[in-house]
Amino acid sequence: MFTIWFGTNIMILAIVTGALSTTLFGQPAWSAALAVIAGNLFGAIFMALHSAQGPRLGVPQMVQTKGQFGSLGSILIVAVVVVMYLGFFISILVFGGESLASVIPFLSGKAGIVVLAAISLCAAIWGYALIHAYARIMTWASGLVLLAAFVWAFIVHPVPAHFFSTGTATLAGFLSTFGACAVWQIAYAPYVSDYSRYLPAKTGSKPAFWMSYWGTSIGSILPMFLGAGVGLLLPNTDPVIALTKATAGISVLVVVVFSIGVAATNAMNLYCSTLCTITIAQTIVPRFNPRGRERGLIAVGLCALAVCVALTAGSGFVSIYNNFLVLLLGSLVPWTAVNLVDYYLVRHGDYVVEDFYKRDGGRYGRVNWPAVSCYLIGVAVQLPFMIIGTAFVGPFAKMLGNTDISFIVGLAVVSPLYYVIAKAFARRSNRSMEPVTQSV
């Protein structure tokens, strides 16, 4: 659990995400570092709480979601998650392809995209065991290269005098960085238990929680620090190009290792998007039982779709990526609130796993309207507080000085609302099942 989340987070996309703090949000070094730490430590709580569910239930996270939303109601969430996987897959291909092209003269950005997609596809088709082995290797390889990148960027090459005076700390910039780092972690929530579900039940929740928590936190904070730093070194430069210039001398090693590392993460994105697609298909057509060939074909189809989008991506993809993170946070926060409240506070982890695979949902029904309603309410209440680049600024976000606190509002509204409604429905169900006694 530690190595898979540490190793797969040290990659180009994490560096680009960290660079948003100083390039797009204009934060100085101290504010960027604080927001990166706080955002990752906060978001990782939710990620690790989902990981802790794996050893007890032993099923993929999106299958378990049927226990909260019902067999058909869960399709809404699973479809959102498939879009999330493909969005990250595409982003990693674009930034990874650019980074390879920046250090390998004969390789274009589009060729780099195809190379990374092919490696990711092979790893995803091979499956779970290869991904774990890959992550263990990359934990050491990426970790050592990351250390070398820090040394080269900030010690071998002297830090310019303006480094600590660049940028202005603002609440809006701090919270935007905090939110980007938090969603980085929360985005793992829909599939983190896919990798802890194979642990024996006797492992318990605490080891799965803490190893996932510290693996993903440390593995994300360090490359994001590097991204924030290179953003200050070269503030008006694309983060990928800035990284190669800041590590001149070992830039080929840095970019190649980090680009290979992204294949591990993209293999996870493709592997889990395939599982989610199968989950949707089996919910609609229960007799559908895909074997290795069918699973491979689904993975190939999803990969081909992602490659087509990545190849047509134009300039300014950093801004598109940031908008994607905002929308992703808005769609995932209500789901994670419902899932965690239901698992830890309402049912206390007591689910009938067999019912997850029944077409009618068994005791969980086809649609659990309290969960679906709370999810939709959660999405709606976030909109007025949301900022999506220059395309949309919610009225309350404007009142707060263009500050996006939508995910805080989503958690604060959905968590207690679902708890109260779920408890009320549980009491009503228990009363309806009580035997009726008659006096004679």
Side-chain angles (χ1 to χ4, degrees):
M1 288 296 98
F2 183 90
T3 55
I4 195 169
W5 299 116
F6 182 88
T8 54
N9 274 297
I10 301 178
M11 60 171 172
I12 291 293
L13 194 59
I15 295 172
V16 172
T17 303
L20 295 176
S21 63
T22 52
T23 55
L24 191 62
F25 306 136
Q27 296 302 286
W30 69 268
S31 177
L34 184 60
V36 165
I37 293 172
N40 278 289
L41 293 181
F42 175 78
I45 294 172
F46 301 91
M47 177 270 198
L49 285 172
H50 287 284
S51 181
Q53 299 173 5
R56 178 159 186 173
L57 296 179
V59 296
Q61 186 72 69
M62 287 298 99
V63 172
Q64 186 247 37
T65 291
K66 294 181 180 182
Q68 292 94 41
F69 290 84
S71 60
L72 294 180
S74 65
I75 292 179
L76 168 67
I77 310 302
V78 181
V80 169
V81 170
V82 171
V83 173
M84 178 201 78
Y85 290 136
L86 292 179
F88 273 118
F89 193 94
I90 293 165
S91 300
I92 289 173
L93 289 180
V94 171
F95 292 125
E98 287 180 359
S99 63
L100 283 177
S102 68
V103 296
I104 302 177
F106 61 85
L107 194 70
S108 66
K110 292 185 176 181
I113 287 172
V114 174
V115 169
L116 291 177
I119 297 173
S120 303
L121 178 62
C122 292
I125 290 177
W126 194 273
Y128 173 88
L130 179 60
I131 292 173
H132 263 293
Y134 195 7
R136 285 194 294 271
I137 294 170
M138 294 313 298
T139 291
W140 290 100
S142 298
L144 291 173
V145 170
L146 180 67
L147 177 61
F150 272 109
V151 172
W152 244 255
F154 305 111
I155 297 178
V156 173
H157 299 156
V159 175
H162 65 76
F163 184 84
F164 290 104
S165 59
T166 300
T168 303
T170 62
L171 179 61
F174 180 90
L175 287 177
S176 295
T177 303
F178 180 95
C181 296
V183 72
W184 179 270
Q185 300 297 343
I186 294 174
Y188 287 123
Y191 67 91
V192 59
S193 71
D194 292 5
Y195 295 88
S196 61
R197 64 189 172 114
Y198 295 104
L199 295 172
K202 64 181 181 181
T203 301
S205 298
K206 288 184 178 179
F209 176 91
W210 287 114
M211 289 301 97
S212 300
Y213 182 83
W214 290 118
T216 193
S217 295
I218 300 171
S220 302
I221 289 172
L222 295 178
M224 288 184 186
F225 274 177
L226 179 60
V230 298
L232 290 172
L233 291 174
L234 299 160
N236 298 316
T237 307
D238 181 273
V240 174
I241 304 301
L243 175 65
T244 61
K245 291 183 177 180
T247 58
I250 61 166
S251 59
V252 174
L253 174 67
V254 170
V255 170
V256 169
V257 171
F258 286 170
S259 296
I260 293 173
V262 304
T265 306
N266 250 7
M268 294 171 67
N269 286 324
L270 187 56
Y271 175 75
C272 294
S273 62
T274 301
L275 290 181
C276 285
T277 303
I278 291 172
T279 299
I280 294 174
Q282 288 181 323
T283 301
I284 299 172
V285 185
R287 293 182 180 179
F288 178 57
N289 184 27
R291 302 291 182 180
R293 182 179 63 181
E294 289 82 3
R295 292 195 297 269
L297 289 173
I298 293 172
V300 169
L302 293 173
C303 183
L305 174 62
V307 169
C308 289
V309 176
L311 290 175
T312 57
S315 59
F317 194 77
V318 171
S319 297
I320 296 174
Y321 172 64
N322 178 64
N323 294 342
F324 166 69
L325 290 179
V326 173
L327 292 171
L328 184 60
L329 187 60
S331 61
L332 285 182
V333 159
W335 167 78
T336 197
V338 168
N339 180 277
L340 294 180
V341 168
D342 192 84
Y343 183 92
Y344 289 101
L345 301 180
V346 177
R347 302 184 192 272
H348 306 287
D350 186 16
Y351 294 87
V352 180
V353 174
E354 292 79 7
D355 285 6
F356 295 162
Y357 297 94
K358 295 179 179 179
R359 185 173 187 177
D360 63 358
R363 67 193 62 203
Y364 307 113
R366 294 181 183 275
V367 179
N368 181 13
W369 288 111
V372 173
S373 300
C374 286
Y375 175 81
L376 295 176
I377 290 171
V379 171
V381 298
Q382 291 180 90
L383 290 176
F385 296 89
M386 194 174 287
I387 300 175
I388 308 173
T390 57
F392 175 79
V393 180
F396 289 117
K398 287 182 180 178
M399 293 172 57
L400 295 170
N402 288 340
T403 302
D404 188 330
I405 61 167
S406 56
F407 67 97
I408 298 174
V409 174
L411 287 172
V413 170
V414 176
S415 299
L417 178 64
Y418 179 72
Y419 179 79
V420 171
I421 294 177
K423 282 291 189 180
F425 267 74
R427 286 194 295 269
R428 182 182 301 176
S429 298
N430 290 336
R431 285 197 299 268
S432 65
M433 294 176 65
E434 291 176 357
V436 179
T437 57
Q438 295 180 341
S439 58
V440 178

